[in-house]
Short mmCIF file of all heavy atoms in Angstrom, two decimals:
data_model
loop_
_atom_site.label_atom_id
_atom_site.label_comp_id
_atom_site.label_asym_id
_atom_site.label_seq_id
_atom_site.Cartn_x
_atom_site.Cartn_y
_atom_site.Cartn_z
N ARG A 36 179.68 95.52 169.57
CA ARG A 36 180.20 94.12 169.32
C ARG A 36 180.50 93.38 170.37
O ARG A 36 181.64 93.35 171.01
CB ARG A 36 181.46 94.28 168.39
CG ARG A 36 181.33 95.12 166.93
CD ARG A 36 182.49 94.99 166.15
NE ARG A 36 182.65 93.46 165.88
CZ ARG A 36 183.84 93.03 165.44
NH1 ARG A 36 184.97 93.76 165.46
NH2 ARG A 36 183.88 91.66 165.18
N VAL A 37 179.38 92.59 170.89
CA VAL A 37 179.57 91.76 172.04
C VAL A 37 178.87 90.46 171.68
O VAL A 37 178.17 90.20 170.85
CB VAL A 37 178.78 92.45 173.19
CG1 VAL A 37 179.45 93.80 173.55
CG2 VAL A 37 177.29 92.66 172.87
N VAL A 38 179.16 89.47 172.56
CA VAL A 38 178.54 88.17 172.58
C VAL A 38 178.24 87.84 173.99
O VAL A 38 178.93 87.99 174.96
CB VAL A 38 179.59 87.10 171.93
CG1 VAL A 38 180.82 87.09 172.69
CG2 VAL A 38 178.78 85.77 171.88
N SER A 39 176.95 87.36 174.17
CA SER A 39 176.44 86.92 175.46
C SER A 39 176.22 85.46 175.50
O SER A 39 175.64 84.84 174.59
CB SER A 39 175.08 87.64 175.81
OG SER A 39 175.20 89.05 175.87
N VAL A 40 176.84 84.79 176.48
CA VAL A 40 176.87 83.39 176.59
C VAL A 40 176.43 82.95 177.99
O VAL A 40 176.52 83.68 178.94
CB VAL A 40 178.27 82.73 176.18
CG1 VAL A 40 178.53 82.99 174.74
CG2 VAL A 40 179.35 83.42 177.07
N ARG A 41 176.10 81.75 178.12
CA ARG A 41 175.88 80.94 179.56
C ARG A 41 176.97 79.97 179.69
O ARG A 41 177.32 79.24 178.80
CB ARG A 41 174.51 80.36 179.47
CG ARG A 41 173.41 81.52 179.52
CD ARG A 41 172.00 80.73 179.63
NE ARG A 41 170.96 81.81 179.81
CZ ARG A 41 169.61 81.33 180.13
NH1 ARG A 41 169.40 80.04 180.32
NH2 ARG A 41 168.67 82.37 180.14
N GLY A 42 177.29 79.94 181.05
CA GLY A 42 178.18 78.96 181.37
C GLY A 42 177.56 78.04 182.53
O GLY A 42 176.94 78.67 183.55
N LEU A 43 177.63 76.83 182.34
CA LEU A 43 177.01 75.82 183.29
C LEU A 43 178.06 75.11 184.08
O LEU A 43 179.03 74.66 183.64
CB LEU A 43 176.17 74.82 182.51
CG LEU A 43 175.53 73.64 183.21
CD1 LEU A 43 174.53 74.21 184.41
CD2 LEU A 43 174.93 72.63 182.45
N ALA A 44 177.68 74.91 185.38
CA ALA A 44 178.49 74.07 186.36
C ALA A 44 177.65 73.19 187.01
O ALA A 44 176.63 73.58 187.59
CB ALA A 44 179.38 74.87 187.18
N GLU A 45 177.84 71.99 187.18
CA GLU A 45 177.12 70.92 187.88
C GLU A 45 177.94 69.99 188.70
O GLU A 45 179.04 69.70 188.34
CB GLU A 45 176.16 70.13 186.94
CG GLU A 45 175.08 70.86 186.34
CD GLU A 45 174.15 69.97 185.50
OE1 GLU A 45 174.77 69.40 184.44
OE2 GLU A 45 172.99 69.77 185.83
N ARG A 46 177.37 69.65 189.93
CA ARG A 46 178.12 68.63 190.72
C ARG A 46 177.08 67.80 191.45
O ARG A 46 175.87 68.27 191.88
CB ARG A 46 178.97 69.36 191.88
CG ARG A 46 180.19 70.08 191.30
CD ARG A 46 181.21 70.51 192.26
NE ARG A 46 182.35 71.04 191.82
CZ ARG A 46 183.37 71.57 192.65
NH1 ARG A 46 183.31 71.30 193.93
NH2 ARG A 46 184.34 72.21 192.08
N THR A 47 177.42 66.64 191.56
CA THR A 47 176.62 65.60 192.39
C THR A 47 177.39 65.38 193.67
O THR A 47 178.43 64.95 193.92
CB THR A 47 176.38 64.36 191.65
OG1 THR A 47 175.78 64.46 190.45
CG2 THR A 47 175.66 63.36 192.48
N VAL A 48 176.62 65.69 194.85
CA VAL A 48 177.18 65.67 196.13
C VAL A 48 176.24 64.73 196.98
O VAL A 48 175.12 64.60 196.77
CB VAL A 48 177.33 66.97 196.81
CG1 VAL A 48 178.17 67.88 195.98
CG2 VAL A 48 175.96 67.82 196.82
N MET A 49 176.86 64.31 198.20
CA MET A 49 176.09 63.59 199.02
C MET A 49 175.48 64.59 200.09
O MET A 49 176.14 65.43 200.54
CB MET A 49 177.02 62.58 199.80
CG MET A 49 176.45 61.79 201.03
SD MET A 49 175.26 60.41 200.41
CE MET A 49 176.42 59.23 199.91
N ALA A 50 174.29 64.22 200.48
CA ALA A 50 173.61 65.06 201.39
C ALA A 50 174.38 65.00 202.78
O ALA A 50 174.92 63.92 203.06
CB ALA A 50 172.24 64.58 201.59
N ASP A 51 174.45 66.08 203.53
CA ASP A 51 175.24 66.08 204.72
C ASP A 51 174.23 66.25 206.02
O ASP A 51 174.74 66.36 207.07
CB ASP A 51 176.30 67.14 204.69
CG ASP A 51 175.73 68.54 204.56
OD1 ASP A 51 174.48 68.68 204.53
OD2 ASP A 51 176.46 69.47 204.38
N GLN A 52 172.97 66.13 205.66
CA GLN A 52 172.12 66.32 206.82
C GLN A 52 170.72 65.66 206.55
O GLN A 52 170.30 65.62 205.24
CB GLN A 52 171.74 67.73 207.19
CG GLN A 52 170.70 67.95 208.35
CD GLN A 52 170.60 69.50 208.66
OE1 GLN A 52 171.37 70.02 209.30
NE2 GLN A 52 169.55 70.05 208.18
N VAL A 53 170.13 64.97 207.48
CA VAL A 53 168.91 64.24 207.27
C VAL A 53 168.00 64.50 208.39
O VAL A 53 168.37 64.53 209.50
CB VAL A 53 169.16 62.65 207.14
CG1 VAL A 53 169.88 62.02 208.34
CG2 VAL A 53 167.89 61.82 206.81
N THR A 54 166.66 64.50 208.01
CA THR A 54 165.61 64.76 209.04
C THR A 54 164.73 63.37 208.85
O THR A 54 164.17 63.14 207.70
CB THR A 54 164.71 65.91 208.76
OG1 THR A 54 165.59 67.18 208.78
CG2 THR A 54 163.74 66.03 209.85
N TRP A 55 164.70 62.66 209.97
CA TRP A 55 163.94 61.40 209.99
C TRP A 55 162.96 61.29 211.05
O TRP A 55 163.25 61.05 212.11
CB TRP A 55 164.98 60.31 210.12
CG TRP A 55 164.43 58.86 210.16
CD1 TRP A 55 163.08 58.42 209.64
CD2 TRP A 55 164.86 57.62 210.63
NE1 TRP A 55 162.84 57.18 209.85
CE2 TRP A 55 164.02 56.63 210.55
CE3 TRP A 55 166.11 57.45 211.30
CZ2 TRP A 55 164.26 55.27 211.04
CZ3 TRP A 55 166.48 56.17 211.70
CH2 TRP A 55 165.44 55.14 211.64
N PRO A 56 161.62 61.64 210.73
CA PRO A 56 160.51 61.44 211.72
C PRO A 56 160.08 60.02 211.87
O PRO A 56 159.64 59.45 210.89
CB PRO A 56 159.50 62.39 211.23
CG PRO A 56 159.66 62.51 209.71
CD PRO A 56 161.07 62.22 209.41
N VAL A 57 160.11 59.50 213.04
CA VAL A 57 159.61 58.19 213.35
C VAL A 57 158.33 58.31 213.99
O VAL A 57 158.29 58.80 215.19
CB VAL A 57 160.64 57.34 214.15
CG1 VAL A 57 160.01 55.92 214.29
CG2 VAL A 57 161.97 57.27 213.49
N SER A 58 157.13 57.99 213.41
CA SER A 58 155.81 58.21 214.02
C SER A 58 155.15 56.82 214.15
O SER A 58 155.15 55.99 213.30
CB SER A 58 154.91 59.17 213.17
OG SER A 58 155.61 60.44 213.04
N TYR A 59 154.34 56.83 215.30
CA TYR A 59 153.55 55.56 215.48
C TYR A 59 152.35 55.99 216.29
O TYR A 59 152.30 57.02 216.87
CB TYR A 59 154.32 54.50 216.32
CG TYR A 59 154.63 54.87 217.68
CD1 TYR A 59 153.67 54.64 218.73
CD2 TYR A 59 155.85 55.48 218.03
CE1 TYR A 59 154.09 55.09 220.03
CE2 TYR A 59 156.18 55.84 219.16
CZ TYR A 59 155.23 55.68 220.28
OH TYR A 59 155.63 55.94 221.58
#
Side-chain angles (χ1 to χ4, degrees):
R36 300 195 59 206
V37 296
V38 56
S39 297
V40 292
R41 289 185 174 184
L43 170 67
E45 289 184 294
R46 289 192 183 184
T47 298
V48 297
M49 174 72 74
D51 59 3
Q52 180 175 281
V53 58
T54 304
W55 177 23
V57 181
S58 299
Y59 65 88

